[in-house]
Amino acid sequence: KVGYTKVFGYFIEITNAHKDRVPPEYIRKQTLTGAERFITPDLKEYETLVLNAQERVSRLESELFAQLRAEIAIQAAGRILDTARALAEIDVYLSFASVAAQRNYCRPTLNDGDTIHIVAGRHPVIEQSQAETPFIPNDVELSNRSAQILIITGPNMAGKSTYLRQVALIVLMAQIGSYVPAEAATIGIVDRIFTRIGAQDDLATGQSTFMVEMVETANILHHATPRSLVILDEIGRGTSTYDGLSIARAVIEYLHNNKRCGARTLFATHYHELIEVAKS
């Protein structure tokens, strides 16, 4: 029988029972337990033709594929891209709808007002990642006229950061066209969501943890508008208690009193002394 291996190429294999009948022009190439393998000049010539043919086939396939690709790019690229965009849009809507149905989301109402009113809002990630523990929903009422800044205090693990993030996520989800994790929600459209969350440094550029916090806070105060939503978590914690308290109070007063800024703000803090600003 004729066989092929990558090492020896094509060969003629003859069992030991018939090896006395092997023609003299056969060239022994390999000995096995029950057979011997031979080659001939004609067989090697045929092998060369076959292998060269495979190379030509691969080259021809590549040329034809490149030609087809070029024709599609010229003639059908527009239709393909339009179809891809339509499918991508459908995929987004289908994902929104599936999640909303599975997780009991509500349809939010968006308007040009300045009120963010959320009834029984939930954090969309935490309620799924900790499904064995029921998520306690929270209401939110933010308005430039009556409740522009909410100061949220409480001990560690009380849920301050979760509350801040869930409000920002609900607003973001509503404005991208998704249903939201709440019983009801009315969102006065925001132009941007600003956040100052977490402790991190940038020592490579010479900025300490406190400096990063201050730079980010300054950026918010310079660019926030009355249509913005500002999420501030533990401003002033990177320095001494009284310095930090002073910075936090100054930020709150600036956000409240500067009409150019005047953003709707959620301000989480361990400085319970800050609730005194509500009186003034």
Side-chain angles (χ1 to χ4, degrees):
K1 66 180 182 180
V2 177
Y4 174 83
T5 67
K6 290 184 178 181
V7 177
F8 296 109
Y10 284 97
F11 57 83
I12 301 170
E13 184 174 298
I14 300 174
T15 61
N16 290 336
H18 300 283
K19 66 180 181 181
D20 57 337
R21 299 166 60 187
V22 174
E25 66 271 18
Y26 279 26
I27 303 168
R28 182 181 286 103
K29 191 69 176 178
Q30 187 181 17
T31 300
L32 305 177
T33 303
E36 290 189 348
R37 291 175 176 176
F38 301 85
I39 62 172
T40 68
D42 289 344
L43 188 60
K44 288 287 109 179
E45 184 178 341
Y46 174 79
E47 178 183 309
T48 302
L49 290 173
V50 171
L51 296 180
N52 287 341
Q54 290 177 346
E55 291 179 6
R56 292 197 303 273
V57 166
S58 298
R59 185 168 61 251
L60 182 59
E61 285 181 347
S62 297
E63 292 173 356
L64 291 172
F65 177 73
Q67 180 182 341
L68 177 63
R69 187 174 57 194
E71 290 176 1
I72 291 173
I74 294 171
Q75 300 175 12
R79 287 188 293 125
I80 291 174
L81 289 173
D82 288 343
T83 303
R85 292 189 188 99
L87 289 172
E89 191 168 345
I90 291 170
D91 183 50
V92 169
Y93 296 149
L94 179 60
S95 298
F96 283 167
S98 297
V99 171
Q102 293 167 9
R103 302 180 182 178
N104 194 31
Y105 288 2
C106 77
R107 178 179 178 177
T109 300
L110 278 78
N111 56 43
D112 290 325
D114 62 8
T115 297
I116 296 176
H117 175 69
I118 300 171
V119 178
R122 313 186 305 274
H123 193 295
V125 178
I126 293 177
E127 73 168 349
Q128 296 302 313
S129 62
Q130 300 181 8
E132 70 282 355
T133 304
F135 189 92
I136 307 302
N138 300 280
D139 296 345
V140 180
E141 184 73 34
L142 272 172
S143 169
N144 291 58
R145 291 158 296 163
S146 58
Q148 180 207 338
I149 300 175
L150 301 186
I151 298 176
I152 300 137
T153 62
N156 290 320
M157 300 295 291
K160 300 188 298 299
S161 297
T162 299
Y163 185 77
L164 266 61
R165 286 168 169 82
Q166 80 180 44
V167 173
L169 285 170
I170 288 172
V171 170
L172 181 61
M173 291 171 69
Q175 291 197 200
I176 64 172
S178 171
Y179 279 32
V180 299
E183 289 185 6
T186 300
I187 309 295
I189 293 176
V190 306
D191 55 7
R192 282 186 286 185
I193 299 174
F194 291 96
T195 65
R196 161 86 279 281
I197 292 173
Q200 62 185 42
D201 58 46
D202 190 3
L203 299 181
T205 60
Q207 296 189 65
S208 66
T209 304
F210 177 70
M211 188 62 180
V212 168
E213 180 184 323
M214 291 299 98
V215 168
E216 291 183 359
T217 302
N219 179 65
I220 293 171
L221 298 182
H222 278 115
H223 296 99
T225 73
R227 298 219 53 102
S228 302
L229 174 63
V230 175
I231 305 298
L232 298 173
D233 198 352
E234 303 293 353
I235 291 295
R237 66 179 170 184
T239 185
S240 66
T241 301
Y242 289 109
D243 287 348
L245 182 58
S246 299
I247 292 170
R249 177 158 184 160
V251 169
I252 291 173
E253 291 183 356
Y254 184 87
L255 287 166
H256 183 270
N257 298 332
N258 189 308
K259 299 307 177 184
R260 179 200 59 78
C261 182
R264 290 160 288 182
T265 303
L266 295 176
F267 194 106
T269 182
H270 278 293
Y271 298 136
H272 57 85
E273 297 89 346
L274 287 175
I275 61 175
E276 291 295 319
V277 300
K279 298 177 180 179
S280 58

